[in-house]
């Protein structure tokens, strides 16, 4: 494993975070300057650390191996969280462990509701910036090192679009440029719409970063304003789609071709079906009239399906049917080319087709079946990895839920905390409340940080590094 390459990537990430820290510093300066110094100090520290690592690793070779990809994926998020926690801790809002957990939840775009409601507004802005930066980094990882590790990413991108993954740094940087540009354009579009809906410029930017990054959180500006909530719905809908196909739409201008995509069609069908189910049940039970029921139902359906987790209504008072349906949606997540959490639509599509094929094969033993996505045959190797991912994901979900019961919290609260961390939705109404996280012992708070990491790196990267460590230990003996 080449340490220089890993340091090079971490150095570039520190540069990006150092630049991002200047935005809340500017906000604090314009607001009176009381909270400007912690952000300036954190920015200087980030630039210094980034410069040290960048200079150490700038002579790396131009290829990325599997183990180096896994190491980058695992180390990137705690590295960003460690720098990002400095303002939360230095302004006296949180103890160090809580600040680290807050930073980790933000960079993985989970948005756990840990920050106090009476915290300075500049910290909520930094929370939004950290979410947006984490979403950007995940999107870059998604098109560069993730295919090397999990092997079950590139069904749509590499097979259908003819852009096979390459471990060469130059090709990876080109793909990262396309992904980050699309992400930035969507953020500016969302901010412009929030501004048009009646928010102030800083508020519009903050909401846009939270929605496009699917970070969400408890802090949402404009709650109760119909126009603002409508823009949030549109932004979360875009964020849950395949951002990589948006790039193709912008370059080829072929909307019809994108709508033929199997994953997009499944996503649209799920949006309509689940939205109508939640809205229809709310109206049927008499909780609200039809117009308001459609608005509330579709808003929260999109919020949970995109793993954003923004709430504009007291969901804990809703019927159990609607709550249960909303809490199932984060497990599914958005499309593969998005920054959402969950298992992603493309994997579920392959699993459903595999189940149907096995039923047909049981009825007709001599039948030859195949799995296709958008008219492209899916290799058995990718199907096997998707099955492995599904098994690992569910085993991790139940194992972490059992682990958190050591805290003495109720089992439903532990399931809710695991769901919040592993899927990145950040909140599980009816199961857990923010105090459940804050009352955990220190070791279990660090365990929640690990669950957040597992949900973001899609488990495989951690397993690869554990296996590498075991082999290295065996060689020494």
């Amino acid at each position: 494993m080449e340490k220089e390459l890993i340091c090079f990537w971490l150095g570039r990430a520190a540069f990006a975070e150092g630049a991002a820290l200047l935005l809340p510093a500017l906000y604090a300066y314009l607001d009176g300057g009381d909270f400007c110094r912690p952000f300036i100090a954190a920015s200087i520290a980030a630039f210094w650390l980034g410069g040290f690592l960048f200079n150490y690793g700038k002579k790396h070779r131009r290829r990325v191996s599997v183990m180096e990809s896994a190491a980058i994926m695992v180390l990137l998020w705690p590295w960003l969280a460690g720098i990002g926690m400095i303002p939360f801790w230095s302004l006296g809002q949180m103890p160090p462990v809580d600040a680290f957990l807050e930073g980790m939840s933000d960079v993985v775009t989970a948005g756990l509701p840990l920050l106090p409601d009476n915290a300075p507004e500049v910290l909520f802005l930094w929370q939004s910036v950290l979410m947006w930066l984490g979403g950007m980094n995940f999107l870059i990882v998604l098109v560069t090192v993730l295919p090397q590790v999990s092997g079950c990413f590139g069904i749509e991108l590499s097979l259908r679009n003819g852009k096979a993954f390459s471990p060469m740094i130059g090709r990876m940087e080109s793909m990262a440029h396309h992904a980050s540009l699309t992400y930035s354009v969507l953020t500016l579009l969302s901010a412009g719409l929030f501004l048009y809906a009646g928010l102030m410029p800083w508020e519009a930017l903050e909401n846009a970063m939270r929605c496009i990054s699917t970070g969400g959180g408890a802090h949402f500006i404009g709650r109760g304003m119909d126009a603002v909530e409508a823009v949030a719905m549109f932004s979360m809908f875009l964020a849950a789609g395949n951002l990589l196909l948006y790039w193709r739409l912008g370059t080829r201008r072929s909307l019809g071709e994108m709508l033929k995509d199997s994953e997009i069609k499944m996503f649209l069908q799920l949006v309509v079906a689940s939205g109508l189910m939640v809205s229809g049940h709310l109206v049927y039970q008499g909780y609200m009239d039809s117009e308001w029921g459609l608005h509330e139902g579709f808003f929260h359906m999109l919020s949970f399906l995109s793993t954003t987790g923004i709430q504009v209504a007291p969901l804990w008072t809703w019927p159990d049917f609607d709550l249960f349906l909303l809490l199932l949606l984060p497990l599914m997540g958005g499309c593969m080319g998005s920054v959402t959490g969950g298992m992603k639509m493309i994997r579920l599509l392959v699993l459903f087709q595999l189940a149907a094929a096995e039923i047909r094969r049981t009825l007709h033993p001599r039948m030859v079946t195949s799995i296709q996505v958008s008219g492209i045959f899916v290799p058995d190797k990718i199907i096997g990895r998707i099955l492995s991912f599904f098994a690992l994901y569910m085993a991790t979900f139940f194992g972490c839920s059992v682990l958190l019961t050591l805290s003495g919290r109720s089992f439903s609260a532990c399931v809710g905390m695991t769901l919040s961390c592993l899927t990145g939705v950040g909140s599980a109404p009816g199961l857990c409340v923010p105090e459940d996280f804050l009352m955990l012992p220190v070791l279990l708070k660090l365990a929640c940080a690990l669950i957040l990491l597992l949900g973001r790196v899609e488990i495989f990267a951690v397993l690869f590094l554990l296996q590498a460590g075991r082999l290295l230990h065996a060689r020494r003996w």
Side-chain angles (χ1 to χ4, degrees):
M1 186 184 300
E2 188 183 10
K3 293 184 292 185
E4 289 80 4
L5 180 60
I6 298 172
C7 291
F8 175 78
W9 278 72
L10 295 181
R12 292 180 65 173
F15 280 145
E17 191 161 17
L21 280 159
L22 296 177
L23 184 62
L26 174 62
Y27 177 89
Y29 175 77
L30 296 175
D31 197 44
D34 294 338
F35 303 110
C36 185
R37 290 183 179 179
F39 292 97
I40 295 294
S43 179
I44 293 173
F47 279 120
W48 185 86
L49 290 170
F52 177 78
L53 293 176
F54 185 84
N55 288 328
Y56 177 79
K58 63 182 179 181
K59 294 184 179 180
H60 65 276
R61 56 187 172 84
R62 303 291 291 177
R63 288 185 65 89
V64 185
S65 69
V66 175
M67 293 310 304
E68 289 160 355
S69 299
I72 291 169
M73 287 182 62
V74 171
L75 296 176
L76 178 63
W77 312 108
W79 173 247
L80 292 174
I83 299 174
M85 67 173 278
I86 296 175
F88 298 117
W89 174 45
S90 60
L91 288 178
Q93 295 297 316
M94 292 179 166
V97 175
D98 289 4
F100 177 75
L101 183 59
E102 172 67 37
M104 180 66 86
S105 76
D106 293 337
V107 297
V108 302
T109 69
L112 297 180
L114 304 177
L115 195 62
D117 294 335
N118 60 352
E121 183 61 33
V122 68
L123 284 183
F124 290 110
L125 175 61
W126 173 233
Q127 194 180 49
S128 304
V129 173
L130 207 52
M131 291 173 182
W132 188 87
L133 182 65
M136 172 73 82
N137 276 281
F138 176 73
L139 198 58
I140 292 172
V141 166
L142 189 68
V143 297
T144 53
V145 299
L146 180 59
Q148 183 89 325
V149 176
S150 70
C152 50
F153 157 66
I155 295 174
E156 289 286 339
L157 186 66
S158 63
L159 295 181
R160 185 170 184 269
N161 297 343
K163 293 185 179 179
F165 167 77
S166 170
M168 300 300 296
I169 297 295
R171 179 64 182 272
M172 294 165 67
E173 288 179 346
S174 175
M175 297 172 66
H177 172 73
H178 295 165
S180 57
L181 180 60
T182 304
Y183 185 73
S184 301
V185 169
L186 290 180
T187 304
L188 292 175
L189 172 63
S190 177
L193 292 175
F194 276 118
L195 191 63
Y196 181 75
L199 295 183
M200 301 298 291
W202 284 105
E203 297 172 338
L205 181 61
E206 186 175 341
N207 271 7
M209 289 189 292
R210 287 177 180 269
C211 291
I212 295 299
S213 69
T214 69
H219 186 71
F220 178 69
I221 303 172
R223 187 178 279 107
M225 298 172 61
D226 292 347
V228 172
E229 292 180 5
V231 173
M233 291 170 63
F234 178 70
S235 301
M236 292 185 292
F237 176 79
L238 288 179
N242 191 331
L243 274 66
L244 306 175
L245 287 182
Y246 295 163
W247 170 262
R248 294 186 68 242
L249 176 62
T251 55
R252 299 187 182 183
R253 294 176 176 82
S254 178
L255 180 61
E257 183 179 348
M258 190 182 76
L259 293 177
K260 293 179 183 178
D261 185 89
S262 299
E263 185 184 27
I264 292 293
K265 288 194 292 186
M266 179 181 177
F267 171 68
L268 293 176
Q269 291 168 359
L270 181 62
V271 166
V272 173
S274 55
L276 289 177
M277 288 175 67
V278 174
S279 303
H281 189 261
L282 289 173
V283 174
Y284 177 76
Q285 292 292 324
Y287 275 73
M288 53 193 70
D289 57 34
S290 57
E291 181 179 354
W292 194 242
L294 284 171
H295 175 84
E296 293 285 291
F298 272 89
F299 181 94
H300 291 96
M301 177 275 300
L302 286 169
S303 178
F304 280 82
L305 181 61
S306 66
T307 67
T308 307
I310 295 174
Q311 302 174 38
V312 296
L315 297 186
W316 55 90
T317 65
W318 283 19
D320 291 340
F321 171 83
D322 302 289
L323 272 182
F324 183 71
L325 184 58
L326 289 178
L327 294 177
L328 283 180
L329 293 176
L331 291 171
M332 303 178 188
C335 297
M336 180 59 80
S338 69
V339 296
T340 61
M343 289 182 284
K344 305 292 178 61
M345 291 288 145
I346 192 67
R347 295 190 179 113
L348 295 174
L349 178 60
V350 171
L351 290 175
F352 290 152
Q353 291 194 19
L354 180 62
E358 288 301 321
I359 293 174
R360 292 195 301 269
R361 189 180 292 124
T362 301
L363 295 175
H364 308 283
R366 296 185 179 181
M367 177 182 288
V368 177
T369 59
S370 62
I371 307 300
Q372 297 185 39
V373 175
S374 300
I376 303 297
F377 291 102
V378 182
D380 292 338
K381 179 176 70 173
I382 292 181
I383 295 175
R385 287 176 176 175
I386 291 176
L387 286 171
S388 300
F389 174 80
F390 178 75
L392 286 170
Y393 195 89
M394 299 312 297
T396 302
F397 179 82
F398 290 112
C400 292
S401 299
V402 173
L403 174 64
L404 293 182
T405 58
L406 295 174
S407 65
R409 317 301 292 180
S410 66
F411 184 70
S412 61
C414 295
V415 170
M417 287 188 285
T418 304
L419 179 72
S420 301
C421 294
L422 192 62
T423 64
V425 72
S427 60
L431 293 179
C432 66
V433 294
E435 288 73 19
D436 289 319
F437 289 100
L438 297 174
M439 296 299 292
L440 289 175
V442 171
L443 289 179
L444 289 182
K445 287 180 180 177
L446 296 177
C448 285
L450 177 60
I451 299 171
L452 288 166
L453 178 64
L454 289 173
R456 186 78 293 183
V457 304
E458 307 209 331
I459 303 173
F460 278 102
V462 176
L463 294 180
F464 278 142
L465 288 186
L466 291 176
Q467 176 70 3
R470 189 187 69 81
L471 292 176
L472 181 62
H473 179 74
R475 287 172 187 168
R476 288 179 176 176
W477 282 93

